């Protein structure tokens, strides 16, 4: 089951044309990512200031399907998934009411904060990822039973 994050589009999120500035949608998605970590019990202060481990974003992409304006109430639906021993990605869908207005992906790699070399994901992140994987698998099994 995806994590959902509710957010109002602010004036500061928009550009001179009055629509969300392209880079700001990633910032908004990152807010949802942080909220999902916090909801799963991960201390954001410890996570983002860990002196031995970091999770930099190494790839992003965004597809804009409709414009967003100041005052729009959006829902960010996100699903993280493990894609390797040292990598995970977060898939985001941004909705305005029931309309999908944007999709985004952020890919993260786990590194040793001192040497900057890749290392295996922490237990804490694996537990966070497994929680969503199990929920997604349960939803898929339930859907499969309904089809039969």
């Amino acid at each position: 089951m995806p994590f959902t994050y509710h957010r109002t589009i602010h004036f500061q999120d928009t550009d001179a044309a009055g629509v969300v500035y392209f880079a700001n949608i990633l910032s908004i998605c990152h807010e949802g990512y942080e909220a999902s970590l916090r909801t799963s019990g991960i201390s954001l202060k410890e996570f983002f200031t860990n002196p031995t481990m970091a999770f930099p974003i190494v790839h992003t992409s965004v597809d804009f399907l409709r414009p967003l304006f100041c005052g729009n109430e959006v829902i960010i639906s996100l699903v993280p998934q493990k894609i390797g021993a040292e990598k995970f990605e977060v898939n985001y869908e941004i909705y305005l009411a029931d309309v999908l207005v944007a999709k985004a992906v952020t890919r993260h790699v786990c590194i040793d904060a001192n040497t900057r070399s890749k290392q295996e994901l922490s237990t804490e992140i694996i537990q966070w990822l497994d929680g969503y994987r199990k929920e997604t698998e349960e939803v898929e099994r339930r859907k499969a039973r309904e089809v039969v």
Side-chain angles (χ1 to χ4, degrees):
M1 181 144 233
F3 178 82
T4 55
Y5 177 70
H6 297 258
R7 169 75 151 65
T8 301
I9 301 300
H10 302 285
F11 176 71
Q12 69 187 19
D13 299 323
T14 63
D15 60 15
V19 298
V20 169
Y21 181 64
F22 76 96
N24 288 345
I25 201 72
L26 289 171
S27 179
I28 293 165
C29 287
H30 203 275
E31 289 177 24
Y33 163 61
E34 291 176 28
S36 73
L37 292 171
R38 185 177 53 249
T39 298
S40 71
I42 294 173
S43 165
L44 295 182
K45 180 179 180 183
E46 291 174 19
F47 182 78
F48 288 111
T49 62
N50 186 326
T52 61
M53 185 177 297
F55 299 90
I57 295 173
V58 296
H59 171 79
T60 65
S61 68
V62 180
D63 292 319
F64 296 93
L65 308 172
R66 298 224 182 341
L68 288 170
F69 302 94
C70 181
N72 285 156
E73 299 282 339
V74 297
I75 298 171
I76 295 96
S77 174
L78 66 94
V79 177
Q81 62 183 8
K82 184 177 178 181
I83 57 171
E86 70 283 331
K87 295 182 225 173
F88 68 92
E89 70 180 21
V90 184
N91 292 285
Y92 305 87
E93 292 183 339
I94 299 91
Y95 291 90
L96 179 60
D98 292 333
V99 178
L100 180 64
V101 295
K103 296 190 296 186
V105 173
T106 56
R107 190 165 303 130
H108 307 246
V109 66
C110 181
I111 63 169
D112 179 295
N114 298 313
T115 66
R116 308 309 275 182
S117 60
K118 291 180 186 177
Q119 66 179 32
E120 290 190 9
L121 295 170
S122 67
T123 303
E124 181 176 60
I125 286 296
I126 290 172
Q127 290 173 345
W128 173 69
L129 293 164
D130 283 349
Y132 286 97
R133 182 180 55 80
K134 289 175 187 169
E135 289 178 13
T136 301
E137 288 173 355
E138 289 172 10
V139 168
E140 292 303 317
R141 277 196 297 275
R142 203 168 32 250
K143 285 180 183 176
R145 284 194 301 267
E146 291 172 359
V147 171
V148 174

